[in-house]
Amino acid sequence: MTAAHGRLDRPIVLFGPMASGKSSVGAALAELLGARFLDTDALVVAQHGPIPEIFAAHGEDAFRQAEADVIAQVLAQRHPDGLVLALGGGSVLRHETRALLSDVHRVYLRASWDDVAPRLVGSADRPLLHGDAENSWKALMDRRRPVFEALATLSVDTGQNTAAEVAAQIAGTIAARSRRATEGVIA
């Protein structure tokens, strides 16, 4: 995970379904590692306004383009203390966005409907969940899961674990893999 100077060797990017804990795990992981934490949803909102308004005024494609632009901007910057970046749930569906992630630690945060339901039910700021939140979420996951699984270099279940526990698991796994790689052992 770290280079000889004690910093992350490359960014850690978290992705997965909405409400899987990307933001809370990302913040905990960045704190644990002494790295910078950024959330693409927050960056898009800062640059373009509220996500539901972007969807309503311009559609999902415009939102995904804004998201891809933010990801490209963030990854092009230097982050001397390291970077943990949380992506929006559908950001990795775009080929262009996946291509930006070729040289990062790609962590898929897995979660089930039962895990995320308490965070989503009644939420007005999730434009892709209309009417029946459970069936909408499950349909999104059916389409997105293969992409998440194919892209991941590490997959972690967020289920019943706290953000701090998931962050510690991610940090430990990446550190162990990096040690093996620097020792010449294939992970």
Side-chain angles (χ1 to χ4, degrees), residues 3-5 11 16 20 25 32 43-44 57 72 76 80 91 123 127 132 141 159 172 174 177 180-181 185:
H5 49 77
S20 62
V25 169
L32 179 66
L43 295 169
V44 168
S91 62
S123 174
D132 182 352
M141 277 306 297
I174 291 174
R177 288 179 178 178
R180 285 194 301 266
V185 178

Side-chain angles (χ1 to χ4, degrees), residues 23-105:
S23 297
S24 57
V25 169
L29 182 58
E31 183 176 340
L32 179 66
L33 299 173
R36 183 174 188 196
F37 172 67
L38 294 172
D39 183 303
T40 59
D41 283 348
L43 295 169
V44 168
V45 167
Q47 291 182 16
H48 302 281
I51 293 170
E53 290 179 17
I54 298 168
F55 267 76
H58 307 288
E60 184 177 359
D61 286 341
F63 171 72
R64 295 294 174 214
Q65 184 60 56
E67 196 173 46
D69 293 345
V70 163
I71 293 166
Q73 291 165 11
V74 168
L75 293 177
Q77 296 170 359
R78 234 177 127 285
H79 301 278
D81 294 325
L83 173 68
V84 176
L85 179 63
L87 303 184
S91 62
V92 298
L93 300 178
R94 292 175 64 104
H95 172 73
E96 298 83 1
T97 301
R98 290 192 306 272
L100 295 170
L101 305 177
S102 63
D103 193 31
V104 301
H105 297 284

